[in-house]
Amino acid sequence: MNYKVIDRESYYRKGVFRHFTEDCKCSTSMTARLDVTELAAYSKKTGTKFYINFLYLLSKALNSREDYRMGYLWQTDELICYDVIHPTHYVFHEDTETCTPVYTEFSEDYQRFYANALRDVEKAKQTREYGLDMANHPNWFDASYISWLSYDSLNVELPDGYLYFAPIVNWGRYREENGRLVMPVSVRLNHAIADGYLVAKVFRLLEQEIKTFTKRL
């Protein structure tokens, strides 16, 4: 885990950061439907799992900008940027109706990431422990699939004043609309390090990643 300390005086969001860490501590979130027609077709044609393919593209998109890799060290009151962030995703156990976190390290090498994610998911299926370990995984973001519903809106609440900068991303089942497959995706970021533009940018980056990824066929 490597990171750099951000100089707050030269930080390009200096004024916004000060306001939303001192005057108005809050987060900002957005839900939009993402066209995943090509990604679903790619997954079917290659015999790969749509879930892991999307998780890979999401991780790649979030790692492409420093804004999504920010962190806060409360012990030293430092704003930092991690070199890389990794997804914490989840396995749902039907028998107990509980979840187990799955820690998969991000790699730009798709084959490596895919194999690791498969292994990590299978390992998590063998336990019923919650096992969340945020203390030893500070540069990990939350990626949660809500498989039971193709929803229209979702909001994730964190305590006021809690300077949690890692992205929280949820997505639901995709559904057909006008001959296309669309999937609800929700992105939550702390307002101190992201505004509406940067939240919306996640969707634009995902669209581009899907387009580039599926062109390989």
Side-chain angles (χ1 to χ4, degrees):
M1 178 190 64
N2 296 311
Y3 61 83
K4 66 178 180 181
V5 177
I6 302 297
D7 179 5
R8 295 189 195 183
E9 289 303 311
S10 59
Y11 180 37
Y12 86 106
R13 291 178 56 82
K14 173 185 175 181
V16 177
F17 182 84
R18 189 210 64 77
H19 176 62
F20 287 108
T21 55
E22 297 178 16
D23 307 325
C24 181
K25 299 176 181 179
C26 63
S27 62
T28 181
S29 61
M30 191 179 299
T31 297
R33 289 194 288 268
L34 196 67
D35 190 326
V36 295
T37 308
E38 278 72 29
L39 185 59
Y42 174 94
S43 302
K44 184 177 181 179
K45 190 168 184 178
T46 59
T48 56
K49 294 183 179 297
F50 175 91
Y51 169 84
I52 296 180
N53 290 339
F54 179 74
L55 186 66
Y56 168 74
L57 297 176
L58 172 64
S59 301
K60 190 175 181 183
L62 292 177
N63 273 287
S64 68
R65 284 186 67 115
E66 288 191 352
D67 298 287
Y68 308 131
R69 293 185 271 118
M70 305 296 276
Y72 174 69
L73 302 181
W74 61 268
Q75 301 92 332
T76 55
D77 188 32
E78 289 179 307
L79 176 65
I80 63 172
C81 177
Y82 292 106
D83 290 351
V84 62
I85 55 175
H86 310 284
T88 304
H89 48 124
Y90 299 85
V91 161
F92 180 75
H93 307 293
E94 296 284 350
D95 57 338
T96 58
E97 297 183 347
T98 59
C99 294
T100 294
V102 182
Y103 292 104
T104 297
E105 289 192 1
F106 173 65
S107 170
E108 284 209 24
D109 184 323
Y110 166 68
Q111 299 296 340
R112 180 180 178 184
F113 179 87
Y114 191 92
N116 289 344
L118 273 180
R119 176 203 65 206
D120 297 337
V121 166
E122 289 305 313
K123 182 179 179 181
K125 287 180 180 179
Q126 305 309 310
T127 180
R128 295 298 182 270
E129 297 296 324
Y130 185 52
L132 189 66
D133 183 17
M134 293 179 63
N136 292 309
H137 298 82
N139 57 323
W140 296 68
F141 69 93
D142 197 88
S144 183
Y145 173 40
I146 302 173
S147 61
W148 312 277
L149 188 68
S150 183
Y151 61 85
D152 293 314
S153 180
L154 180 100
N155 189 43
V156 177
E157 297 285 350
L158 270 73
D160 288 345
Y162 187 38
L163 300 182
Y164 182 81
F165 293 158
I168 298 177
V169 182
N170 301 84
W171 64 98
R173 297 176 62 178
Y174 57 70
R175 64 180 184 259
E176 185 175 342
E177 289 186 4
N178 301 316
R180 306 293 291 179
L181 297 178
V182 295
M183 185 173 75
V185 179
S186 302
V187 179
R188 181 270 179 196
L189 287 162
N190 191 292
H191 211 336
I193 52 92
D195 50 24
Y197 170 80
L198 286 172
V199 176
K201 184 70 175 178
V202 175
F203 297 94
R204 303 286 82 82
L205 289 169
L206 276 169
E207 289 173 343
Q208 185 57 52
E209 291 293 349
I210 290 173
K211 183 178 180 180
T212 302
F213 183 76
T214 56
K215 274 186 175 180
R216 303 188 304 175
L217 277 181

